[in-house]
Amino acid sequence: MAVEVVPATVADLHQVLQDHARYWGERDLRALHQPVLVQEFGSTCLIARAEDGIRGYLFGFVTPDHTGYVHLIATRDDSRGTGLGRRLYREFTMVARRQGAVRLRAITSVGNEGSQAFHRSLGFDARVVPDHDGPGRPMVVFTRDL
C-alpha cells in the first residue's frame, strides 16, 4: 500500500487523537498533541497517509538557533518495523534543512528503551540530562549534526 508523507492539518491532528491508542498503546500522551504545533509549524509537522488512514506522524519545528526539534514521532501499531519512522525522519530532515537547521534534537523518557534504540540507530548521540523535565525528572536528550 502506498504511503504519502505530507504536511499535517488540524483535521489530521484530530484523527491522530481519536486513534491515540493505536500509536501510543497504554501511554496517554494526548496533552503533548497541541494544535498550535500544526497551526504554526505546519510545514515541519508531517503525517504518513495511506488509503486506510494515517500510518504515522512526526511533529517538529526549527528553533531560532537552527535546531530541528522533533516533538513527537509515532507509527501506528500495524506499521511498526516497516521503516516508516525512518522515512518520517528523512522527510523532516529535508524540510528542516531548507529552514536552516544544522542539527536535530529529540527527547524521550529514561525508561523508553525502544525510542533510545531507534534514535541511536539513526545516528543520534544520547545523554541523560538530570532534571530536564523538572526536579527529579531526567530525560534522554538526542542530538545529531546535519
Side-chain angles (χ1 to χ4, degrees):
M1 179 175 302
V3 176
E4 177 184 31
V5 176
V6 296
T9 66
V10 173
D12 295 325
L13 172 63
H14 292 295
Q15 186 62 55
V16 163
L17 288 171
Q18 226 176 353
D19 298 335
H20 184 268
R22 297 225 36 210
Y23 303 100
W24 297 101
E26 297 295 317
R27 295 183 296 163
D28 186 355
L29 300 180
R30 288 177 289 191
L32 297 177
H33 292 72
Q34 296 295 317
V36 70
L37 292 170
V38 175
Q39 293 165 342
E40 300 300 326
F41 304 104
S43 65
T44 53
C45 292
L46 307 172
I47 59 139
R49 186 188 318 280
E51 287 179 17
D52 64 347
I54 298 171
R55 292 288 188 108
Y57 61 95
L58 183 155
F59 293 168
F61 52 88
V62 177
T63 68
D65 75 344
H66 309 288
T67 299
Y69 179 76
V70 175
H71 178 64
L72 292 164
I73 181 171
T75 54
R76 204 169 66 187
D77 52 13
D78 60 352
S79 294
R80 295 197 184 110
T82 65
L84 184 56
R86 289 178 182 280
R87 181 173 173 198
L88 285 163
Y89 252 106
R90 276 194 310 273
E91 297 282 342
F92 175 76
T93 298
M94 289 189 300
V95 172
R97 277 187 170 142
R98 285 195 298 269
Q99 292 187 16
V102 297
R103 73 190 67 78
L104 297 178
R105 181 179 168 149
I107 64 171
T108 197
S109 62
V110 173
N112 192 338
E113 294 175 9
S115 177
Q116 291 176 48
F118 172 68
H119 283 86
R120 283 189 177 107
S121 77
L122 293 174
F124 280 86
D125 292 322
R127 65 185 172 90
V128 175
V129 177
D131 302 327
H132 186 279
D133 207 29
R137 297 181 64 183
M139 296 294 281
V140 178
V141 176
F142 304 106
T143 56
R144 186 180 90 196
D145 290 334
L146 295 178

